[in-house]
Amino acid sequence: MSDIYTSCIKKPRDSTSCSSIEGEMEGSHATTGPNNGEEFKVQTAKHNNHAPMRPPSEQSKDRAQKRLSAESNGVSEGGAGARTPVEVTALEEAFRRFAVHGDTRATGKELHGKNWSKLCKDCSVIDGKTITLTDVDIVFSKVKKKSCRTITFNEFKEALTELSRKRFKEKSNDEAAEEVFKLIEGKSPIIAGVTRAVASPTVSRLTDTTKFTGSHKARFDETGRGKGKAGRVDVLDKSGYVSGYKHKGSYEKKMQPRPKPE
């Protein structure tokens, strides 16, 4: 019993250890004064004001949008935030111009059959003798994938290589391909005359204001320009002159004093 009793009795604290602990506590209270407390509140407020973390799906969408914008501007993003220029050849630039022609949703990375035929026409790849529109359609169906209706830039170059062998038979494959590439480099879709109005006697008669009669004639002046409200509504003349009077405003000129001779 005595051994158990003595083991249960706690040992007294060392005076030196107690004094050191009390000194540390006083130092900690001293550092957390009024000024330091305010700094602590400001730091916590800054951490709390940070924007919440977005889900991974939104972050991936942002990265995809940045990549597409960088590709459209001819710049690619490298590691550690580096930006390296992407070399866009004149042939690829022409491919993109024809790929987005007439389609606002096109990305410029794929070319469908209609614009492929237009490219071959506008760039004089079709000469009507060795290469015809039928040949162009056959080559397009040959190089494209079975489940796709468009061709990529690599398939586009392959199709041009196929046509070059038929267009320039006397040259080698590489020289013939270079000749066809030169026909397309730097070119754009031809849109001249697409929106030109067709002149017909019926339309010209209906739009010629000099041939209008009745109330329709009163709505336009001698130059064919509309009078606006004055041509639609009878405006009351409050000038005091009789309608048809030709010397309106001449009285004021007559009554002006004559200049005295010097």
Side-chain angles (χ1 to χ4, degrees), residues 13-70:
R13 295 181 180 178
D14 191 2
S15 61
T16 57
S17 62
C18 291
S19 60
S20 62
I21 292 171
E22 290 176 358
E24 291 177 359
M25 291 177 66
E26 290 178 359
S28 63
H29 285 297
T31 55
T32 59
N35 296 331
N36 294 327
E38 292 178 358
E39 293 177 359
F40 178 76
K41 292 180 181 179
V42 172
Q43 291 179 359
T44 54
K46 288 182 179 179
H47 287 292
N48 292 331
N49 290 332
H50 282 304
M53 296 294 292
R54 292 180 298 176
S57 60
E58 294 184 2
Q59 296 178 3
S60 61
K61 290 181 181 179
D62 293 342
R63 287 195 295 268
Q65 291 178 356
K66 290 181 180 179
R67 184 174 64 254
L68 290 175
S69 62

Side-chain angles (χ1 to χ4, degrees), residues 215-220 226-235:
S215 61
H216 301 288
K217 184 178 181 179
R219 299 181 64 177
F220 299 90
K227 295 181 181 180
K229 185 178 180 180
R232 302 190 303 268
V233 181
D234 293 333
V235 181

Side-chain angles (χ1 to χ4, degrees):
M1 291 294 291
S2 60
D3 295 335
I4 296 173
Y5 180 77
T6 54
S7 62
C8 291
I9 297 174
K10 296 181 180 180
K11 294 181 179 180
R13 295 181 180 178
D14 191 2
S15 61
T16 57
S17 62
C18 291
S19 60
S20 62
I21 292 171
E22 290 176 358
E24 291 177 359
M25 291 177 66
E26 290 178 359
S28 63
H29 285 297
T31 55
T32 59
N35 296 331
N36 294 327
E38 292 178 358
E39 293 177 359
F40 178 76
K41 292 180 181 179
V42 172
Q43 291 179 359
T44 54
K46 288 182 179 179
H47 287 292
N48 292 331
N49 290 332
H50 282 304
M53 296 294 292
R54 292 180 298 176
S57 60
E58 294 184 2
Q59 296 178 3
S60 61
K61 290 181 181 179
D62 293 342
R63 287 195 295 268
Q65 291 178 356
K66 290 181 180 179
R67 184 174 64 254
L68 290 175
S69 62
E71 291 178 355
S72 62
N73 294 329
V75 177
S76 66
E77 295 184 0
R83 294 171 65 83
T84 55
V86 177
E87 183 180 359
V88 179
T89 61
L91 182 64
E92 187 174 359
E93 185 65 25
F95 172 82
R96 291 182 179 181
R97 292 173 183 172
F98 279 92
V100 300
H101 176 67
D103 189 0
T104 57
R105 296 177 296 177
T107 60
K109 298 181 180 180
E110 295 178 346
L111 182 70
H112 55 76
K114 183 179 179 181
N115 285 356
W116 158 254
S117 301
K118 180 174 177 58
L119 183 145
C120 294
K121 290 179 182 178
D122 294 349
C123 300
S124 301
V125 178
I126 299 175
D127 58 353
K129 298 179 181 179
T130 57
I131 297 178
T132 61
L133 184 60
T134 304
D135 299 328
V136 170
D137 294 337
I138 292 173
V139 171
F140 181 83
S141 301
K142 182 179 179 180
V143 299
K144 76 177 184 65
K145 297 179 182 179
K146 292 183 179 180
S147 60
C148 297
R149 297 182 179 179
T150 57
I151 58 175
T152 60
F153 180 68
N154 294 330
E155 295 171 346
F156 169 73
K157 293 175 65 177
E158 183 181 353
L160 292 179
T161 304
E162 290 285 338
L163 294 176
S164 64
R165 296 170 186 171
K166 192 173 182 180
R167 174 75 182 270
F168 303 99
K169 297 179 180 180
E170 68 280 0
K171 297 183 179 182
S172 62
N173 294 337
D174 295 338
E175 292 178 353
E178 289 295 331
E179 291 294 332
V180 174
F181 291 166
K182 290 179 181 179
L183 295 175
I184 302 173
E185 290 177 351
K187 298 294 183 63
S188 300
I190 299 175
I191 58 176
V194 175
T195 58
R196 184 179 301 172
V198 178
S200 64
T202 305
V203 176
S204 61
R205 180 175 61 84
L206 295 175
T207 56
D208 189 1
T209 57
T210 59
K211 298 180 180 180
F212 289 179
T213 59
S215 61
H216 301 288
K217 184 178 181 179
R219 299 181 64 177
F220 299 90
D221 57 8
E222 293 79 5
T223 60
R225 187 174 182 179
K227 295 181 181 180
K229 185 178 180 180
R232 302 190 303 268
V233 181
D234 293 333
V235 181
L236 182 61
D237 186 7
K238 298 181 180 180
S239 62
Y241 289 93
V242 181
S243 61
Y245 182 68
K246 298 181 180 180
H247 302 286
K248 180 180 179 180
S250 60
Y251 178 77
E252 287 80 3
K253 294 180 181 179
K254 291 180 181 181
M255 296 304 295
Q256 288 181 357
R258 297 180 181 180
K260 297 180 180 181
E262 295 180 359

